[in-house]
Amino acid sequence: MTARTLRVAGWAGQAGRAGAVLLLVTVAALALPHLMPGSPALAALGPTATPEQVAAYEATLGLDENVLTATWRWIGDALHGDLGHSLSTGAAVTTELADRIPVTLELFVTAQVVALGLALPVALWSAWRPGGAVDRIATAGAFVWLAVPGFVLGLLLIWIAAVQLRILPATGWTPFTEDPLDNLRHLVLPALTLGLTEAAVFTRTLRGQLIDTLDQTYVAAARSRGMGTARLLLRRTLRPSSLPLVTLVGIGIGTSLGGSVLVESLFAVPGVGSLAAGAINGRDFPVVQAVVVVSAVAVVAATFAVDLLYRTIDPRIAHDHR
């Protein structure tokens, strides 16, 4: 078989596995109402609900048919852009997600900028001078930072910036299209809460990879030829050491859609996380199911993107798959 055939076969295999994962996640999400003890309809509508109301509610959730039939019908509707309607508001779930996803992505991108802006210089300096003062402080600080729960860090930032200094709002949100400056003011605290925690993870991960790369023969040869420190670190060391960091950032794009529940709820950010939290509390199954499936799609897409970036950063990976 030619190299191109093997490459196409590899992509086909990945696509098949991704499709299987998405199908399993969809079936699991749509099976949630079926697996709940008792009647979800009575739990949501209350004991005074009439049989007609219960039947209509169960039909909305697909409880009047088996899981596989409900899944097949849901997938068919989803391919046409119909993810159902919220039981709480009656709004189309597609519309609610379209309003919420940009907010979550804005928060995620800003948090990554914060995390990378802190992690890159600290990790580079720590790896270049392992055991030095900066390295010891960074290592100890990362351990301490990782032990602090996200909600504690968020509350601490609120207390400092909103209560004591009164320079930033504690909660709320302003869309960027309405007022870019006020949007930034409301974005700072939740982005710092997410970004500072991820900065600790990025620093520890990148530092270890950089130290391993600096021990490689080609780096020692470049150093012996008199290559400057900045060029050596940025051009010879950082690129091959960044693969685990790419994985963390890439997978974070997918998980951010459903994983920012705590931060978005704490700061009243109207993103996907707060939408999911409200849907769970209100037993709004169509919204929960849509968030789970859309998050799974985002994770699969991010995995493909990470694989492409791997091949760009280190072409040897592409040859290893031939």
Side-chain angles (χ1 to χ4, degrees):
M1 297 177 70
T2 64
R4 182 177 181 180
T5 303
L6 289 174
R7 188 162 57 250
V8 171
W11 284 112
Q14 281 188 300
R17 290 190 293 272
V21 168
L22 291 178
L23 180 60
L24 289 174
V25 170
T26 302
V27 172
L30 295 175
L32 287 174
H34 295 262
L35 299 176
M36 285 189 62
S39 170
L42 288 176
L45 299 175
T48 60
T50 64
E52 291 77 14
Q53 291 174 323
V54 171
Y57 191 95
E58 291 180 344
T60 302
L61 297 180
L63 294 175
D64 57 340
E65 52 193 6
N66 63 60
V67 175
L68 294 181
T69 303
T71 300
W72 183 255
R73 177 176 54 79
W74 190 91
I75 291 175
D77 292 338
L79 291 176
H80 290 86
D82 181 9
L83 298 178
H85 288 76
S86 169
L87 299 176
S88 302
T89 64
V93 176
T94 305
T95 302
E96 294 207 4
L97 285 175
D99 293 337
R100 304 289 188 119
I101 288 176
V103 175
T104 295
L105 289 180
E106 182 184 0
L107 175 58
F108 170 78
V109 170
T110 308
Q112 299 311 297
V113 171
V114 172
L116 292 172
L118 292 173
L120 286 175
V122 173
L124 285 167
W125 188 275
S126 298
W128 182 249
R129 293 285 185 266
V134 173
D135 185 36
R136 291 196 301 270
I137 294 172
T139 301
F143 275 113
V144 173
W145 212 253
L146 289 173
V148 178
F151 74 91
V152 174
L153 176 58
L155 291 173
L156 179 62
L157 290 175
I158 290 175
W159 181 77
I160 294 174
V163 178
Q164 296 298 315
L165 301 179
R166 298 184 180 181
I167 57 175
L168 292 171
T171 59
W173 185 260
T174 300
F176 182 83
T177 53
E178 291 184 7
D179 189 337
L181 183 59
D182 200 47
N183 170 265
L184 179 62
R185 293 180 66 249
H186 284 89
L187 182 63
V188 170
L189 292 184
L192 281 176
T193 303
L194 287 175
L196 290 176
T197 301
E198 293 195 0
V201 178
F202 290 176
T203 301
R204 284 173 50 82
T205 302
L206 185 58
R207 174 190 175 277
Q209 288 296 123
L210 286 168
I211 290 176
D212 290 341
T213 304
L214 285 169
D215 288 336
Q216 299 298 313
T217 304
Y218 73 90
V219 175
R223 188 183 301 181
S224 67
R225 292 195 299 268
M227 181 177 289
T229 301
R231 187 179 179 189
L232 180 68
L233 288 174
L234 297 177
R235 299 194 60 180
R236 290 286 189 270
T237 309
L238 181 59
R239 181 170 178 171
S241 302
S242 61
L243 294 180
L245 197 61
V246 169
T247 301
L248 291 174
V249 175
I251 300 302
I253 296 174
T255 57
S256 68
L257 292 181
S260 56
V261 175
L262 179 63
V263 171
E264 290 185 3
S265 299
L266 178 63
F267 291 97
V269 176
V272 177
S274 59
L275 176 66
I280 292 171
N281 291 331
R283 296 177 179 268
D284 198 340
F285 290 105
V287 174
V288 174
Q289 292 163 346
V291 169
V292 170
V293 175
V294 170
S295 297
V297 171
V299 170
V300 169
T303 302
F304 272 103
V306 166
D307 188 63
L308 288 174
L309 283 174
Y310 266 30
R311 295 163 188 262
T312 302
I313 294 173
D314 190 349
R316 292 172 299 177
I317 293 177
H319 293 287
D320 290 342
H321 285 78
R322 289 182 181 180

